[in-house]
Amino acid sequence: MNAPTLRNSPNLEPFFMPFTANRQFKADPRLIKAAEGMYYTTIDDRKVIDGSAGLWCVNAGHGRKKIAEAVAKQLAELDYAPSFQMGHPLAFEFAERLVELSPEGLDHVFYTNSGSESVDTALKIALAYHRARGEGTRTRLIGRERGYHGVGFGGITVGGIVGNRRVFPQLPGADHLRHTHDLARNAFTRGQPEHGAELADDLERLVALHGAETIAAVIVEPMAGSTGVLISPKGYLERLRAICDKHGILLIFDEVITGFGRLGTPFASQYFGVKPDIFTTAKGITNGVIPMGAVFCDRGIYDGIMKGPENLIEFAHGYTYSGHPVACAAGLATLDIYAEEGLLTRGAELAPYWEDALHALKGLPNVIDIRNIGLVGAVELAPRAGAPGTRAYDVMVDCFRRDAVVRVTGDIIAMSPPLIAEKSHIDALVGSLADALKRVA
């Protein structure tokens, strides 16, 4: 299908686009001008279903008037207030509302502006905690292969995506667990894979190599979204939690994607029944309307850092826009919508239908695996010889040119529709992907 000719399109050249093949995109752009509910409107006036909730963030769907009105009201009342040595009521109210949703004991919130900032903040909290309790030798950070933890230097250090790491230097003193993706044993699994719990024992190998007294924290995604919906095997997170406890290592969950209802519970830790010491959020915290993130930490960690003279700053870290009043207003309105419409658990209601719809794609051309959990799914394709990634990219473009937006990472198509989706939307989204898989060789 030929690319449409777009009239009145903007000059594309000045914008240095993030995580985009700039030259490829600008030769054949995909431009969106409006959004409402489950749909985007393209610059050539086509309605396309949003199969990825923006970038995993628009959980309550697009164009929510309640959030827009809260933002407008807050802008008129208080557009900005600093969070350094000052405060404003909404930041405290929002924090209180957030911890009502979190696992018991994870009752302190540090505000950021993105998932990347949340990760770097969580890592710094872990380091500060160990130092405050007299274990300053614990400086080593452990990530996982095929993990994505944002683009700060801390995030790429513990992250495990080669393309994000190869150009940039990383922080010293980090290491990585093996990833859990086992296509040979777990292909076409529904929900958590049966095989792979033993991969958590890789942490014991790193403890033996480096010494527990040097390791501050382990950070993992309960479900690795950006590298293709890699789901923790049964028993894996429980085993990792036990090993961390054994050696005094903090366990950090990166819930930037899984937070706020994506798996059918407020947070993935509640879905898996494993409690971290710290977890990161962003994306769905404001329904993607305004950049914001939050790091949740255990009361014992917060109390452990609150040392020294009371007039001194206990944690020398923060951002100009931490707890921005407009972002807090957007977040409070978002939480209201989640509560009023039951969206933080709606993914659990839709999950069985979503699972069956996805797995019906088995047997279509080049499909080598299908994975799902909550309202997230992935279809992995066999790569073209000598041209990895091109097949899935062509499927993504084909979907967009017709009627759907899906995510692509390597040769994996990932989908995570807004939590307001109906069964008819699931049918339309999966049907669009099925047609594209048949068309793209």
Side-chain angles (χ1 to χ4, degrees):
M1 185 176 182
N2 294 327
T5 300
L6 305 179
R7 294 177 296 174
N8 302 319
S9 62
N11 177 11
L12 305 181
E13 191 56 33
F15 181 19
F16 193 161
M17 299 176 69
F19 276 118
T20 299
N22 277 250
R23 291 164 295 173
Q24 185 183 57
F25 177 91
K26 291 172 183 180
D28 182 9
R30 295 172 294 281
L31 298 175
I32 294 165
K33 70 176 184 179
E36 184 175 0
M38 286 289 298
Y39 292 89
Y40 284 119
T41 301
T42 67
I43 200 169
D44 52 336
D45 293 316
R46 293 180 300 107
K47 297 286 187 183
V48 293
I49 192 167
D50 181 3
S52 57
L55 276 175
W56 315 87
C57 53
V58 187
N59 291 356
H62 296 276
R64 301 304 299 241
K65 289 183 172 55
K66 183 172 192 140
I67 303 175
E69 290 168 357
V71 166
K73 180 177 182 293
Q74 187 58 43
L75 278 170
E77 185 174 297
L78 176 65
D79 56 352
Y80 176 79
S83 289
F84 296 5
Q85 307 287 8
M86 293 190 185
H88 61 89
L90 283 190
F92 297 93
E93 180 184 349
F94 190 32
E96 185 176 22
R97 291 279 303 277
L98 287 170
V99 300
E100 288 173 358
L101 299 173
S102 69
E104 185 177 356
L106 288 156
D107 56 7
H108 283 77
V109 172
F110 193 104
Y111 291 121
T112 70
N113 307 291
S114 68
S116 294
E117 289 184 0
S118 288
V119 166
D120 279 16
T121 297
L123 298 176
K124 292 174 81 171
I125 289 173
L127 294 171
Y129 168 71
H130 286 301
R131 184 178 180 87
R133 63 196 297 262
E135 293 195 48
T137 60
R138 289 186 181 266
T139 59
R140 191 174 301 278
L141 303 167
I142 306 296
R144 188 169 60 186
E145 296 170 356
R146 295 190 70 167
Y148 177 66
H149 301 294
V151 295
F153 280 103
I156 62 172
T157 295
V158 294
I161 301 177
V162 174
N164 293 357
R165 294 165 55 87
R166 60 164 43 108
V167 176
F168 309 107
Q170 283 98 59
L171 303 177
D175 212 331
H176 292 74
L177 303 168
R178 288 176 290 174
H179 68 75
T180 62
H181 188 42
D182 189 340
L183 193 59
R185 294 195 296 170
N186 292 324
F188 297 101
T189 291
R190 292 171 177 247
Q192 283 187 269
E194 293 288 338
H195 306 286
E198 71 282 356
L199 292 169
D201 294 339
D202 206 30
L203 180 55
E204 291 281 18
R205 177 182 64 83
L206 297 181
V207 168
L209 175 64
H210 300 296
E213 74 280 1
T214 72
I215 301 175
V218 173
I219 182 168
V220 297
E221 298 156 281
M223 179 210 74
S226 296
T227 52
V229 186
L230 311 182
I231 302 161
S232 295
K234 291 179 180 177
Y236 175 87
L237 293 174
E238 293 89 337
R239 211 148 160 174
L240 201 58
R241 173 74 273 178
I243 297 170
C244 286
D245 288 342
K246 175 182 174 183
H247 296 290
I249 299 167
L250 297 182
L251 179 60
I252 303 171
F253 281 176
D254 187 336
E255 292 224 35
V256 171
I257 285 176
T258 54
F260 300 101
R262 183 49 51 189
L263 302 190
T265 53
F267 302 105
S269 57
Q270 293 151 328
Y271 178 94
F272 290 106
V274 179
K275 180 181 169 183
D277 300 296
I278 302 170
F279 70 95
T280 65
T281 65
K283 295 190 183 291
I285 195 170
T286 63
N287 201 45
V289 170
I290 291 180
M292 193 180 202
V295 178
F296 294 68
C297 73
D298 183 85
R299 174 179 291 275
I301 293 174
Y302 174 83
D303 289 344
I305 293 174
M306 296 296 114
K307 298 285 181 68
E310 291 188 3
N311 64 305
L312 296 182
I313 294 170
E314 299 96 353
F315 185 50
H317 176 69
Y319 306 97
T320 299
Y321 302 111
S322 290
H324 193 288
V326 181
C328 288
L332 284 164
T334 298
L335 292 190
D336 286 343
I337 292 170
Y338 288 160
E340 291 162 5
E341 300 181 17
L343 295 183
L344 296 183
T345 56
R346 192 161 189 274
E349 301 168 18
L350 289 170
Y353 191 87
W354 171 249
E355 180 178 275
D356 288 342
L358 283 177
H359 283 270
L361 299 173
K362 184 177 181 179
L364 291 185
N366 303 303
V367 173
I368 61 174
D369 190 22
I370 296 169
R371 305 183 282 278
N372 68 280
I373 188 170
L375 204 58
V376 188
V379 178
E380 186 162 353
L381 307 179
R384 290 173 177 152
T390 59
R391 175 171 279 129
Y393 176 84
D394 287 348
V395 168
M396 180 269 290
V397 171
D398 187 275
C399 285
F400 180 82
R401 288 181 181 171
R402 294 175 187 271
D403 51 16
V405 172
V406 297
R407 290 270 295 139
V408 61
T409 175
D411 272 299
I412 300 167
I413 300 293
M415 294 169 290
S416 58
L419 302 175
I420 62 169
E422 301 290 347
K423 291 179 179 178
S424 59
H425 297 126
I426 292 173
D427 292 341
L429 175 60
V430 177
S432 176
L433 178 58
D435 292 342
L437 289 169
K438 294 170 187 175
R439 285 189 292 263
V440 176

